[in-house]
Amino acid sequence: MTDLNLPHRPSPLTWLRQHKVWAVILAILVALALVDMGQARESLGFTLDALLGTAPFLALSILIAAWAKATGADGQIARAFHGAPIMAVAMAALAGAVSPFCSCGVIPLIAALLSMGVPLSAVMAFWLASPLMDPSMFVLTMGVLGLPFALAKTATAFSLGLLGGYVTHALGATGALQDPLRPEIGDGGCGGTAARRVKPIVWTFWREDARRANFATEAKKTTFFLLKWLTLAFLLESLMLAFVPAETITGLLGGDGLGPIALATIVGVPAYLNGYAALPLVGGLIEQGMQPGAGLAFLIAGGVTSLPAAIAVWALVRPRVFGLYIVMSLAGAFAAGLLWQTFG
């Protein structure tokens, strides 16, 4: 006789259909293990190390999002950014240019800001500028590529943030970018409902059962969503580092004219290297005859729109916002390379 009180366990196929991203991750690891067990272990270790390195930013962002939801602070934060969009974009671009976030590490913070209802224009400005420069990156860039190059990259980070933020603000005024987050993430962003439901903040939210439940629900939802996509992103990064040799990039980016700058902009997306590892590569390429403008375009495009970061962004926002992010990033990288090649 069947016990109707027993919990129902889904079949493996049902679980795979419900957790497609984890299924892809598992399939990649299994296929890699069948082909090269050593690389499978290295990729798994790389992914775990990268997740641990991102963990402080991930945890902080999750706590901020859950705290804002439980206390009602999300509406207040959103309302503060809605007041002066021009100044908000400028401050966000400046903050992004000095913040210590990589292209993947900034994703959890972006999710938290958008879910609070912070306008997409300010978020886009921070989003584009943040992965490109921070104080330690500036010092290392100066040491490897020289002070002028470091200043050019810093100016590019700030300018790209400004450009992306103001273009997003202009498009947002037409209503084209309403509700930028995917439905499963939240209802924040430009004109988000959090800004329309402003209520007094309850700082001691843990004293109320409903608010504690809101905190736990938001934290759990955000954690599982970001964890699966960042895991996939870092796993793909490990494969790129293993199977895309530096010599291939060197052969593609040599030569003169606009072609190398345009190619460096495109190659910078799939040929992912973190900002620190990319510097000596670009320095070596420049010594071998690559245009400095192409080197700058490669660093900008790779820093903002590397394939792992793009995957995480795709999972976070609607396609039209993702398209704007890609277009602004690539256009900014190409323009920066061209200007640096012409006037640098």
Side-chain angles (χ1 to χ4, degrees):
M1 181 176 180
T2 303
D3 187 354
L4 298 179
N5 294 322
L6 289 176
H8 174 68
R9 293 184 179 181
S11 67
L13 289 178
T14 301
W15 185 92
L16 290 175
R17 284 194 294 268
Q18 294 174 346
H19 302 84
K20 294 183 178 66
V21 176
W22 289 116
V24 171
I25 293 169
L26 182 61
I28 292 174
L29 288 174
V30 170
L32 195 58
L34 293 175
V35 175
D36 188 342
M37 179 59 73
Q39 183 58 50
R41 286 194 293 265
E42 289 184 14
S43 293
L44 182 59
F46 179 94
T47 301
L48 294 175
D49 287 343
L51 287 172
L52 287 175
T54 310
F57 303 114
L58 184 63
L60 179 61
S61 300
I62 291 168
L63 289 175
I64 290 173
W67 168 84
K69 182 69 67 175
T71 62
D74 52 350
Q76 298 287 358
I77 294 171
R79 177 64 60 87
F81 276 93
H82 275 275
I86 303 301
M87 182 59 67
V89 167
M91 295 304 295
L94 180 60
V98 299
S99 66
F101 292 98
C102 67
S103 54
C104 286
V106 76
I107 301 301
L109 181 57
I110 295 304
L113 292 174
L114 286 175
S115 66
M116 292 178 196
V118 173
L120 181 61
S121 57
V123 173
M124 184 70 78
F126 182 84
W127 193 347
L128 293 174
S130 182
L132 298 178
M133 187 57 68
D134 59 64
S136 60
M137 176 67 74
F138 180 88
V139 173
L140 186 59
T141 304
M142 181 175 61
V144 175
L145 299 173
L147 179 60
F149 200 103
L151 292 174
K153 192 180 179 194
T154 302
T156 299
F158 180 64
S159 300
L160 183 58
L162 286 179
L163 177 64
Y166 291 137
V167 168
T168 302
H169 176 66
L171 291 175
T174 68
L177 299 175
Q178 291 291 328
D179 301 321
L181 284 174
R182 289 183 181 272
E184 62 268 26
I185 307 302
D187 58 2
C190 181
T193 57
R196 299 192 292 268
R197 295 197 301 257
V198 178
K199 297 179 181 179
I201 298 176
V202 179
W203 300 106
T204 55
F205 69 90
W206 55 87
R207 295 180 178 177
E208 300 181 22
D209 292 340
R211 292 183 182 274
R212 286 201 306 271
N214 282 341
F215 181 91
T217 300
E218 186 70 17
K220 181 180 178 181
K221 180 182 72 173
T222 306
T223 298
F224 283 108
F225 177 83
L226 293 175
L227 183 61
K228 67 182 180 183
W229 284 104
L230 288 176
T231 299
L232 178 60
F234 288 132
L235 179 59
L236 292 177
E237 177 186 348
S238 74
L239 298 180
M240 291 176 194
L241 291 174
F243 297 114
V244 182
E247 293 78 10
T248 300
I249 300 173
T250 304
L252 289 172
L253 300 182
D256 299 319
L258 294 179
I261 298 176
L263 188 57
T265 301
I266 301 301
V267 170
V269 177
Y272 179 76
L273 291 168
N274 68 63
Y276 297 99
L279 290 176
L281 170 63
V282 170
L285 291 172
I286 291 176
E287 290 179 359
Q288 295 176 26
M290 184 180 72
Q291 296 182 29
L296 181 61
F298 179 84
L299 289 176
I300 299 302
V304 181
T305 58
S306 63
L307 189 57
I311 290 173
V313 173
W314 172 259
L316 184 65
V317 298
R318 295 179 186 272
R320 59 181 179 273
V321 179
F322 177 81
L324 178 62
Y325 150 79
I326 293 293
V327 169
M328 294 304 304
S329 301
L330 297 183
F334 179 77
L338 185 60
L339 289 173
W340 180 240
Q341 187 61 35
T342 304
F343 302 106

